[in-house]
Amino acid sequence: MNLFQAFKMAFKSIAHKKTRSFLTMLGIIIGVASVVIMVSVVQGQNQKNLEYFEKMGNNKISVDAYYFYSSEGGNEVFQSLYDYCLGMQDLVVGVTPNIQTYQDMTIKYGGKTVSTQNYENWEDMITVVLGSDQYGACNNYTLANGRELSYLDIQNTNNVCVLGGRLKETLFNFVDPVGETITINGQPFLVVGWYERKDLEGWPELDNMILLPYTFNRTLNQNSPINSFVVKAKNAEATVEAMTKLDAFLASMFPKDADGIPTIGDYYIRSDNASAESIQQQSNMQALVLGAIAGISLLVGGIGIMNIMLVTVTERTREIGIRKAIGAERRSIIAQFLIEAAVICGIGGVLGIGIGYVGTLIAGKFLLQGTMLLPSAGITIGAFAFSVVLGVIFGIYPAIKASGLQPVEALRAE
């Protein structure tokens, strides 16, 4: 018997008893659908996490340095940190203070007015940030048009600003704002550039922002201490080395006494790279665990396949006896039953993948805030291949049992 005949007989047998075949496939269908949905959702969540870190900025080093005795200490820290980072140009792209203003500010352009204190809808609140000429590079902003703040803007405390993408749309709609003048609490500021939108879910303030030179900290922020900084490294390897060097540098700036207590200030250094790697590892582990749990239903389905194939052997004992009596070899009988088991599981796998696709779309909509989520090709192919292999594995025993029947005894069977 050739393969074509074997497959033809397998489909004929399945079609002859449709209800029983469908019920046999049900465990495989549920198992494959569960694996596809669970693993796809975890991968989708992992992808959203990676997108979050990419938009927030890869290889970012956050430095919090607290100077205990003087509000001017923060400026001293930044200047020292800035000069030190200039000497690490092989590792560092830029450095900037990361200052936010919390007082009520009103921003106007023409007849449009927005406020930093919008209590009706927090998503519409404007964030005024103060940074250096390297703020955009450090925080992974992409300049849509115009220019960044310049070194002279910082040194001369020029009345210039760069707008976030969403604030630009609020104030100017589709008009290019570069060269236009807005007012902040009545003080005029020239718009020199604007950033593309990040559109990061849950973080509207990243686009609803306006960047000013950090030297305005004295007038707009009551000269509050500058404690927060961002250092941007060139790559992941440079991030690790830069963090080591920054730790040694800041340790020399903020010495501790014999008991390990800071004397004039303290500092903390962290990077999102470690968090991103940790989250990705956790997501991969979660996918394996959920996939294994869903795989249990596949094993149950495989046991059902074995059971129904044993019933089939009993029902077709006389047919097997006739085939063996006319010269069929054991391997031909084994191949016939293995192919039939594999076909049943393969059809169940295809149906399970179809249900898995629909379930993944629904899960993406409700669990991942409307994300258009589809299973990857790897998951789809893997689920189908596993279902077929499962059919072969659980069909081996019934196939061997069928091939071992003696022709005389088989022909006597009713």
Side-chain angles (χ1 to χ4, degrees):
M1 178 184 293
N2 58 36
L3 284 177
F4 176 76
Q5 290 176 321
F7 277 101
K8 185 177 179 180
M9 289 183 65
F11 281 108
K12 185 177 180 181
S13 176
I14 294 169
H16 184 63
K17 296 180 178 178
K18 298 181 181 67
T19 303
R20 189 176 77 176
S21 298
F22 175 74
L23 293 176
T24 303
M25 296 175 191
L26 202 55
I28 301 297
I29 293 171
I30 294 172
V32 169
S34 300
V35 169
V36 169
I37 293 171
M38 289 185 177
V39 176
S40 296
V41 168
V42 172
Q43 286 189 344
Q45 183 61 55
N46 188 28
Q47 184 61 38
K48 286 182 72 71
N49 290 334
L50 291 177
E51 289 175 1
Y52 161 80
F53 284 108
E54 287 176 1
K55 289 183 178 180
M56 291 295 286
N58 294 327
N59 309 317
K60 262 174 62 174
I61 303 170
S62 298
V63 179
D64 296 318
Y66 303 95
Y67 206 92
F68 291 158
Y69 302 117
S70 169
S71 63
E72 294 298 325
N75 293 327
E76 295 175 9
V77 171
F78 175 65
Q79 191 58 53
S80 299
L81 191 65
Y82 186 88
D83 294 340
Y84 183 73
C85 288
L86 285 179
M88 293 196 299
Q89 292 183 354
D90 57 326
L91 301 174
V92 172
V93 173
V95 58
T96 180
N98 192 31
I99 311 166
Q100 290 191 13
T101 60
Y102 296 100
Q103 62 172 306
D104 189 7
M105 293 186 181
T106 301
I107 302 167
K108 292 184 178 181
Y109 174 74
K112 296 184 179 179
T113 302
V114 294
S115 173
T116 58
Q117 302 294 327
N118 189 330
Y119 297 105
E120 295 180 0
N121 186 359
W122 68 272
E123 291 187 351
D124 292 332
M125 291 177 62
I126 310 302
T127 304
V128 177
V129 295
L130 309 178
S132 75
D133 52 316
Q134 299 163 353
Y135 184 89
C138 289
N139 290 280
N140 208 42
Y141 281 99
T142 301
L143 199 64
N145 197 24
R147 65 173 178 85
E148 299 276 5
L149 299 179
S150 69
Y151 180 78
L152 289 177
D153 291 332
I154 307 297
Q155 293 301 306
N156 299 330
T157 317
N158 291 336
N159 286 30
V160 296
C161 65
V162 180
L163 303 181
R166 186 177 176 188
L167 179 57
K168 175 262 179 188
E169 293 172 5
T170 301
L171 293 177
F172 295 92
N173 293 325
F174 300 104
V175 177
D176 192 338
V178 175
E180 299 293 331
T181 300
I182 64 173
T183 62
I184 302 177
N185 285 352
Q187 186 175 359
F189 283 83
L190 177 68
V191 179
V192 296
W194 58 283
Y195 295 123
E196 292 181 0
R197 292 181 61 151
K198 287 177 178 281
D199 285 325
L200 189 60
E201 187 175 343
W203 296 82
E205 65 270 22
L206 295 178
D207 294 318
N208 233 9
M209 54 82 75
I210 179 170
L211 172 65
L212 306 178
Y214 76 87
T215 42
F216 275 100
N217 185 60
R218 183 182 300 275
T219 56
L220 294 181
N221 216 25
Q222 288 78 51
N223 203 31
S224 60
I226 303 175
N227 299 321
S228 181
F229 312 92
V230 174
V231 178
K232 174 80 169 183
K234 288 188 174 181
N235 50 50
E237 293 75 16
T239 301
V240 176
E241 187 175 350
M243 287 180 69
T244 303
K245 291 188 175 183
L246 285 170
D247 183 68
F249 171 72
L250 292 171
S252 66
M253 286 191 65
F254 298 121
K256 298 180 180 180
D257 60 23
D259 297 324
I261 299 175
T263 55
I264 61 172
D266 203 3
Y267 67 92
Y268 304 92
I269 300 176
R270 64 188 183 279
S271 171
D272 288 340
N273 285 15
S275 300
E277 291 173 2
S278 176
I279 289 175
Q280 190 167 7
Q281 289 175 358
Q282 292 174 8
S283 296
N284 292 338
M285 183 61 67
Q286 188 179 14
L288 287 175
V289 171
L290 291 176
I293 293 173
I296 293 174
S297 61
L298 277 174
L299 294 177
V300 174
I303 294 171
I305 294 293
M306 180 185 290
N307 180 57
I308 205 66
M309 292 307 296
L310 287 172
V311 173
T312 301
V313 170
T314 302
E315 292 176 343
R316 296 166 62 180
T317 300
R318 188 174 181 82
E319 174 195 327
I320 296 168
I322 293 172
R323 289 181 60 189
K324 296 197 72 173
I326 61 176
E329 299 179 355
R330 289 195 63 179
R331 63 182 182 182
S332 178
I333 304 296
I334 291 174
Q336 173 60 40
F337 279 88
L338 287 182
I339 288 173
E340 188 167 329
V343 167
I344 291 174
C345 285
I347 295 173
V350 171
L351 294 175
I353 289 169
I355 294 173
Y357 264 74
V358 175
T360 301
L361 284 170
I362 296 172
K365 181 177 181 180
F366 290 100
L367 298 180
L368 299 179
Q369 291 78 41
T371 301
M372 181 69 174
L373 186 63
L374 288 173
S376 66
I379 295 175
T380 303
I381 295 171
F384 176 76
F386 186 72
S387 64
V388 173
V389 170
L390 199 67
V392 173
I393 292 173
F394 282 94
I396 288 176
Y397 174 67
I400 292 175
K401 184 177 180 180
S403 68
L405 291 176
Q406 295 299 319
V408 175
E409 295 179 1
L411 289 171
R412 288 176 180 172
E414 294 294 334

